[in-house]
Amino acid sequence: QVQLVESGGGLVQPGGSLSLSCAASGSFLRVNDMGWYRQTPGKQRDLVATIASGGDTNYADSVKGRFTISRDNAKNTVYLQMGSLKPEDTAVYYCNAIVIRSFGRIPYWGQGTQVTVSS
């Protein structure tokens, strides 16, 4: 079994900062790519940022320059540092990880955490 547990969501004012974390635990050989996605009611779940096991990153244009994704491979944890937050960043944020198990590479999702940007 593999679990991704997210933490760090909450309410923040426009222009403020917030940091999310997501830790993978359970039975697996290693974690490859990890990332963050976000979703609002009635909308698609969209990519925010991804990071490969070697450190290569990719960001959605809407967050580029404001958000930073990072990871700690020893802890199987991915982080998202969000700065200069805007009301349009309000969404449920989901962690994703591609996990190597004995039988192959499997995608897993975190439970989601609410981020609300409002004055």
Side-chain angles (χ1 to χ4, degrees), residues 2-118:
V2 177
Q3 291 184 319
L4 303 182
V5 179
E6 303 178 27
S7 63
L11 175 65
V12 64
Q13 294 183 342
S17 299
L18 202 63
S19 184
L20 308 180
S21 66
C22 173
S25 63
S27 179
F28 52 84
L29 300 177
R30 65 170 294 171
V31 180
N32 274 356
D33 295 352
M34 304 185 81
W36 293 93
Y37 297 73
R38 65 188 182 187
Q39 187 172 26
T40 56
K43 302 293 182 65
Q44 297 263 354
R45 185 174 296 185
D46 295 325
L47 181 146
V48 177
T50 61
I51 183 167
S53 60
D56 288 344
T57 58
N58 184 48
Y59 296 91
D61 288 342
S62 59
V63 308
K64 199 170 298 180
R66 299 188 297 119
F67 292 9
T68 301
I69 189 170
S70 61
R71 65 189 290 164
D72 184 336
N73 290 333
K75 297 180 179 179
N76 294 315
T77 299
V78 63
Y79 306 91
L80 186 68
Q81 179 63 48
M82 303 181 291
S84 301
L85 283 162
K86 306 174 181 179
E88 51 263 45
D89 294 318
T90 296
V92 177
Y93 284 69
Y94 295 90
C95 173
N96 174 264
I98 307 300
V99 176
I100 299 177
R101 305 190 71 183
S102 61
F103 47 86
R105 295 186 293 176
I106 308 296
Y108 291 92
W109 291 95
Q111 79 277 12
T113 186
Q114 177 71 45
V115 173
T116 301
V117 184
S118 177

